[in-house]
Every structure is written in structure tokens, then in C-alpha cells.
Amino acid sequence: MLTQLTIKNYALIDELQVGFNNGLTIITGETGAGKSILLGGLSLILGKRADISSVKDATKKCVVEAVFDIAKYNLKSLFKIEDLDYEAITIIRREILPSGKSRAFVNDTPVNLDSLQALGERLLDIHSQHQTLQLTNDDFQFQVIDALAENSKEIDLYTQQLKGYKRLKSALDLLHSQKADAIKELDYNVYLLKELEDANLVTGEQESLESEYETLNNIEDIKERLSHSHQLLSHDDIGIVEQLAEVKSQLAKLAKFAKPYNDIYQRVDSSLIELNDIFSEIEDLENDLQADPKRLDVVNSKLQVLHNLMQKHSVETTETLIEIKEALSDKVSVTENLDATISEKEKEIKDVSLDLLKKTKAIRDNRLKVIPELVKQLEQKLATLGMPNAKFKVELLASESFLKNGTDLLQFLFSANKGGQFNDLKKAASGGELSRIMLAIKSILSNYTQLPTIMFDEIDTGVSGEISNKMATIMQDMSKQMQVFTITHLPQIAAKGDSHFKVYKQDVEEVTQTQLKKLNADERIVEIAQMLGGINVSNSALEHAKQLLN
């Protein structure tokens, strides 16, 4: 419930602070006194967009702050979702800065407007003629029926499973899309893959083939140079090996004389060993070297294949070609296995849909049970509100799709006159009738669910005195379950309140300001007498006011 409201520097309000109690609270005042200003301030708490033009003094900050006792509202889960600290006494503050920037806080934690709206709609329901159109909205009509049917738990379970079902459907749609794309690409991918597989790609093969190609392609030159090198090393008279052997022989005779001679001898000996090894290897290479035109053609062809593939795929190494081959293999494999994956996903969807259908049947059965009771209560309440011939027909039609709250489509039909045709509520009911229907529905709902604080904004417009008395009685009954505010021009309703506030204007230092004052017993008598007979209060009006209050 709303326990306190503070408004500073908003429209015609300089500064206002007022506390509220439970029960039925009446707000009255002359037309233009500022009741709409009060509602405008409260709408900021509900997350309405701020407008710098509504600030009284644009050089100062505008602040609207509301204190709510939410202990009975079961809002801990919502606070958790919105990442807010839960407090049984919650303070919502809205600020409009001189720059025009708006800020919102819940228990001193900054919040965005989406979070403020999510919380605000659970705390305060401002019922205006515009909101009456909500009656014709399917979502609202389902909320009413499901509240009476106590379907909240079943719908929560259904909603959670529906999310999973939609994810599965999206995954299946994606698989079908992938299959369609894959089928288009499959033949080409298979061709590319076979081309790479036929190449028998091996890591490092390119370098090996290029080396072999250079050898085979230049074999005569290589043989000639190896042969010449062999002769230079092994010639009997001038061969390098023979010459170095002679050097070694000469130094061997000096090695025993001193260490430097021995060191040089050892080095020559090592060089001779290495030179002999080189000689043997050149000899082996020369002997192994054979011209092979056929092998040269094979190597050349394989290199040409590699170069063509690299050019085709815009890569530079065999390793990258192998990676492309593996990726293509995966694509072809996935395409070939898509049908099995799709079948598996379809079976999973079928299992989930069967479970969803069980849940929707339970939801539908609960709705069908309470619809007659809802119709009965609505018609009874409307009869007391001057609509004795009002009749409702509520029908549930089956949908082939899973909707957000089941598989039902709703027809909420209304007839205002005896023998009249049933028609859609929006077409069949006038504005005044819709207001009374909304009051009747909210009063019924208050017996089945914890409604937020509700503020009726002149719901009694165009209503006669006797009907207004009935409306007041309904609001009184509602206020036993919840906090109810009503802005009214009718004394019959004003007299029913547990507390009474008056909105009025006064000039302070030649500046008009809107004020809100709680009336005591005597002031209430005068206020209601003025509502009965005008500003000049007569004794009969005072007596009548006392009778209404009693």
C-alpha cells in the first residue's frame, strides 16, 4: 500500500508531503484544482516518461517520492529479477534535473524506466477512462479468468516449458535452413573434397617434391660437378686427399717436439678424416645418381597438381589445403547426417508438445469451471450498478498454436439490453458502461488475488446518485482487501471513505499553488455539503452531509 507521497517542484506544487492509510481514501476538489497534477506525479513513479515542461521552477530539481508497504505483495522474486534489494518498506523516487535528465531510484538504487514500470504496475493501478479500454484486451480478460481459475502455477509451468519448445522449434528451423543451403552446396563440396582427396596430400610433401624435381631436372650438371669434385680430391699426384696426407706425414715427425706442433698435426689429422668422409659421400652420391625421366614427369605432375590446388583455393601451403579438405569433409558429413539430426529434433519437439498439450488441457479445464461463476458475479454486480439487463457470454475457442498462456482463444461478448444481440465488448458497451464493468471486475478480482493499490479517477462520471451509492459500496468492500483511492465529484461516494483529502489551489506571494489537505470530521461535513449544494453552504446541505456520513 501507498503510505506516503512527497512531491517537490512539480507543476503547481511547490512542496507537498502527505501520508495515507489503508481502506478507502477519497480525493475531492473543484475542477482544475490540480487532481490531474497529483495523478501526473504518481505516474512518474510508475515509469512514465518525464517532461521538463512539467517542472514548476526549471532551475531546480523536481522530486516525486512514494513510500510503499509491500510486505503482502510477494514481490521478492521480481526484486531478484530486477537485481534490486528487497525491502518490505520500499521507497521509489523520481527526479527531473534542470538539464531535463530524469533519474529513478528504488531503495536508493538507480533503475531504468523498464524496471520502474515492471515494479510500478505491481504497486499502483491508476484507473482512468483510458485504462478502461484494457477491458477489451484479450490479455486482461485472460488475467481475470485465470485469477478466478487459480491458474497461475499451471501457466508458470506451461510458460517455462513453452520457452524450451520455442528454442527447439528455432533449432529445427535452423536445421531445415542449413539443409536447404547444404543441398545447394553439396555437389560442389563433394567435387572439391574428391579433388583434394585424389591429390593424396601429405604434410611437408611440397618441399620434398620441389627438392626432388630440382635434382632430377639438373642431373647432368650435378653429375659433372660431383665427378670433377671427386677427381680433385682423389687424383694420384695432385689430389687434395693425397696432398693433405703428405702434409700429415710431414707434421707427424714434428708433433713430438712441442705442443704447438702436435696441435697442428691433430687438426690436420681431423681434417683428413673429414675430407676422406666427404670424398666417400661424394662418391656415393655420384654412384646413386641416375637419370629418371619417368620419375621427373611424375614429380612435375604432382607439383603441378599442388600448385593448381593452391591457386584455386588461394592458399600457399599443403598444410592449409589439408585443413580445407578436413573442413569440406565435415560439411559433407554434416549434410549427409542432417536428416538424422532433423528426425531426432522432430521427435523431441513432438514429446514436448504432447506434454504442453496436457498442461493446456488442465489450464482450459480450470477456465471452463470458473467462467459460469465469473459471468454470474459480473451480472449480479452490474445489476446493482444500474445495468439489470447486462448479460455476458464468455467462450473459449481452441487454437492450433501454443499461445503464451495456453491454446485458448477468448470471446468476451456482451449485451446491455434485454433481448439484445451479443457482440464484442468494445462494440457493445458505452464508455460509462465499460467503467462500471471494470469496477465490477476489479471488485471480483480483489477476492481472488492480491491487487495493487488502485486509484479510480472519476469512475463515477455520468452516474446517478443511487448508482453512485452502489459504486461506493463496492469500493468500500474492495478496500477491506486492498488500499483504494477514488477521485470523485459525487457526495454519495465521498461520504463512504475512511479518510478524505481535498485538492485545492491557493495563491502564495502572488503564485498559484496546488495543495492537498486531509480533512477532519467537521471539514468533511462542509466539503460534502459544498458538493451537494455549492460554495454557499445551507443548513439543509449540512444536515444532508451529516446524514450521508452517518
Side-chain angles (χ1 to χ4, degrees), residues 4 25-26 68 75 91 101 151 158 162 220 237 288 378 394 421 439 470 473 543 549:
Q4 185 170 298
T25 298
I26 303 297
F68 292 90
L75 294 179
I91 301 172
K101 181 179 178 182
N151 263 338
Y158 167 82
L162 183 62
E220 295 301 328
D237 297 328
D288 291 342
L378 270 176
V394 180
Q421 294 292 318
L439 175 61
K470 299 292 186 181
T473 300
E543 287 302 317
L549 286 166

Side-chain angles (χ1 to χ4, degrees), residues 260-489:
Y261 305 120
N262 184 59
D263 289 344
I264 197 69
Y265 167 77
Q266 294 295 335
R267 289 174 63 189
V268 170
D269 184 51
S270 296
S271 297
L272 184 58
I273 293 170
E274 176 66 17
L275 198 58
N276 276 316
D277 188 57
I278 291 171
F279 172 75
S280 298
E281 192 165 340
I282 289 175
E283 193 173 37
D284 291 340
L285 286 171
E286 187 179 4
N287 292 333
D288 291 342
L289 201 61
Q290 300 292 331
D292 191 347
K294 290 183 178 180
R295 177 60 185 168
L296 179 60
D297 287 342
V298 169
V299 171
N300 186 47
S301 297
K302 184 65 183 281
L303 280 172
Q304 191 60 50
V305 168
L306 285 177
H307 290 150
N308 289 341
L309 288 172
M310 289 178 187
Q311 185 175 14
K312 185 173 190 173
H313 293 279
S314 301
V315 299
E316 297 180 356
T317 66
T318 309
E319 287 72 22
T320 310
L321 283 176
I322 292 172
E323 290 174 4
I324 291 172
K325 184 191 75 171
E326 291 171 349
L328 285 168
S329 180
D330 289 341
K331 281 186 177 181
V332 170
S333 176
V334 168
T335 303
E336 293 172 345
N337 294 325
L338 267 176
D339 285 337
T341 306
I342 287 172
S343 295
E344 184 180 336
K345 192 68 67 179
E346 286 174 341
K347 182 181 182 303
E348 195 175 354
I349 288 173
K350 183 178 179 181
D351 291 341
V352 174
S353 65
L354 289 174
D355 202 27
L356 281 171
L357 285 171
K358 291 179 183 177
K359 288 182 170 62
T360 59
K361 184 179 184 305
I363 292 170
R364 180 182 178 85
D365 289 345
N366 291 341
R367 287 169 175 166
L368 289 171
K369 288 177 185 176
V370 301
I371 284 175
E373 179 62 23
L374 173 62
V375 170
K376 178 183 174 183
Q377 290 191 45
L378 270 176
E379 290 176 353
Q380 287 176 344
K381 286 189 178 292
L382 290 175
T384 66
L385 293 174
M387 298 171 64
N389 298 316
K391 297 294 178 185
F392 285 91
K393 183 186 291 184
V394 180
E395 298 177 344
L396 291 180
L397 306 176
S399 167
E400 294 182 359
S401 303
F402 289 117
L403 307 175
K404 62 183 177 181
N405 59 3
T407 53
D408 292 330
L409 298 172
L410 183 62
Q411 280 194 330
F412 213 91
L413 305 176
F414 175 71
S415 172
N417 303 305
K418 185 177 292 187
Q421 294 292 318
F422 282 97
N423 207 337
D424 185 76
L425 189 59
K426 186 190 301 185
K427 299 176 182 177
S430 67
E433 287 169 338
L434 283 174
S435 292
R436 281 179 274 177
I437 294 170
M438 178 63 95
L439 175 61
I441 285 177
K442 289 290 176 75
S443 70
I444 292 170
L445 277 176
S446 68
N447 295 318
Y448 293 90
T449 186
Q450 179 62 59
L451 294 177
T453 292
I454 189 167
M455 181 169 287
F456 292 110
D457 180 18
E458 298 184 359
I459 196 171
D460 51 26
T461 300
V463 173
S464 66
E466 181 55 32
I467 302 296
S468 67
N469 194 47
K470 299 292 186 181
M471 294 179 78
T473 300
I474 289 175
M475 286 187 275
Q476 261 190 327
D477 290 340
M478 289 177 66
S479 71
K480 295 173 184 176
Q481 310 291 334
M482 57 188 292
Q483 187 184 35
V484 179
F485 288 83
T486 182
I487 297 174
T488 182
H489 288 290

Side-chain angles (χ1 to χ4, degrees), residues 170-222:
S170 296
L172 180 63
D173 291 341
L174 180 60
L175 285 171
H176 281 301
S177 176
Q178 288 174 342
K179 181 181 177 181
D181 293 339
I183 288 173
K184 295 176 186 176
E185 299 177 2
L186 180 60
D187 290 343
Y188 184 56
N189 285 339
V190 168
Y191 166 75
L192 291 177
L193 178 61
K194 187 176 186 307
E195 196 174 44
L196 290 169
E197 287 177 338
D198 289 345
N200 295 316
L201 301 171
V202 178
T203 301
E205 183 181 34
Q206 180 185 1
E207 293 80 2
S208 174
L209 288 170
E210 287 175 344
S211 176
E212 187 178 1
Y213 174 81
E214 291 299 325
T215 298
L216 292 171
N217 196 44
N218 297 283
I219 195 165
E220 295 301 328
D221 187 37
I222 294 170

Side-chain angles (χ1 to χ4, degrees), residues 470-529:
K470 299 292 186 181
M471 294 179 78
T473 300
I474 289 175
M475 286 187 275
Q476 261 190 327
D477 290 340
M478 289 177 66
S479 71
K480 295 173 184 176
Q481 310 291 334
M482 57 188 292
Q483 187 184 35
V484 179
F485 288 83
T486 182
I487 297 174
T488 182
H489 288 290
L490 297 181
Q492 292 87 347
I493 291 179
K496 295 282 188 180
D498 297 303
S499 55
H500 189 155
F501 289 82
K502 181 176 181 178
V503 180
Y504 63 97
K505 288 180 180 177
Q506 68 176 13
D507 294 334
V508 179
E509 297 179 357
E510 298 185 355
V511 176
T512 301
Q513 295 183 4
T514 290
Q515 300 286 350
L516 180 65
K517 177 184 180 182
K518 185 175 183 179
L519 303 181
N520 59 32
D522 291 337
E523 289 170 334
R524 276 191 85 180
I525 294 171
V526 173
E527 174 68 9
I528 291 174

